[in-house]
Amino acid sequence: NSDDPPLFNTTLSDEYRVLAREFGYDRPDLARIARNAFVASAAPPALKARMLEEFDGWADADHPFTAQTRPSA
């Protein structure tokens, strides 16, 4: 749980590393999970859209998404 790093002695980055190491998640899997956090958030729709656009730009610059990662428009 990364909600309280001092208490649980972990970070969100550490949690992603565990997913990759222990469960075989690859970069597109991790990007999909991170993107879903924006989709599922309670942010106002306009803010959510801006954040998704920014995340998609960042992720696309680092590595391509697989077809299942981002829904088509």
Side-chain angles (χ1 to χ4, degrees):
N1 187 331
S2 61
D3 289 346
D4 193 349
L7 180 63
F8 294 104
N9 195 32
T10 192
T11 65
L12 186 56
S13 296
D14 290 340
E15 295 298 307
Y16 282 121
R17 283 186 198 93
V18 169
L19 284 172
R21 184 182 62 244
E22 300 297 326
F23 299 102
Y25 283 58
D26 60 11
R27 292 177 66 108
D29 293 327
L30 297 172
R32 186 186 72 249
I33 291 168
R35 189 177 196 284
N36 284 343
F38 291 105
V39 172
S41 77
L47 174 60
K48 188 183 295 192
R50 285 195 313 271
M51 297 301 291
L52 283 166
E53 182 177 351
E54 185 176 331
F55 178 81
D56 291 343
W58 170 84
D60 287 343
D62 194 34
H63 57 83
F65 276 95
T66 63
Q68 291 104 8
T69 304
R70 185 175 340 133
S72 58

